[in-house]
Amino acid sequence: MSINFNKILSAGCSFIQGSELGDEHPFSHQTYPALIAKKLQVDYDSVAYPSASNQGIAKTLFDYKQLDKCLVI
């Protein structure tokens, strides 16, 4: 299997941020994007936040400075 990315970036609301999982500051490492990154042994970052709207999610992705070689979930 060939992987063409070196980081997974997740964006979304509290579900992706991992609210109430106990390690959500700044984001949880128990959410499915974080677990996929761990399994694939790539870096992980999240711009998710509680109550994020679709417009807010899109803005956080456009504002993210290092999108090259990222798989966005």
Side-chain angles (χ1 to χ4, degrees):
M1 176 171 86
S2 175
I3 296 177
N4 294 326
F5 56 90
N6 58 18
K7 178 190 278 186
I8 291 180
L9 173 66
S10 67
C13 62
S14 58
F15 183 76
I16 297 298
Q17 188 236 3
S19 291
E20 299 185 19
L21 290 178
D23 70 335
E24 67 271 7
H25 299 289
F27 53 81
S28 175
H29 288 276
Q30 298 178 58
T31 60
Y32 76 91
L35 295 173
I36 292 170
K38 183 177 180 179
K39 177 73 173 173
L40 296 177
Q41 298 178 347
V42 296
D43 291 335
Y44 176 67
D45 197 6
S46 176
V47 291
Y49 59 95
S51 302
S53 65
N54 288 338
Q55 187 175 15
I57 293 166
K59 181 173 178 357
T60 60
L61 289 173
F62 285 121
D63 290 345
Y64 195 80
K65 302 297 181 204
Q66 301 168 347
L67 272 178
D68 58 314
K69 300 235 108 190
C70 277
L71 171 65
V72 177
I73 298 177

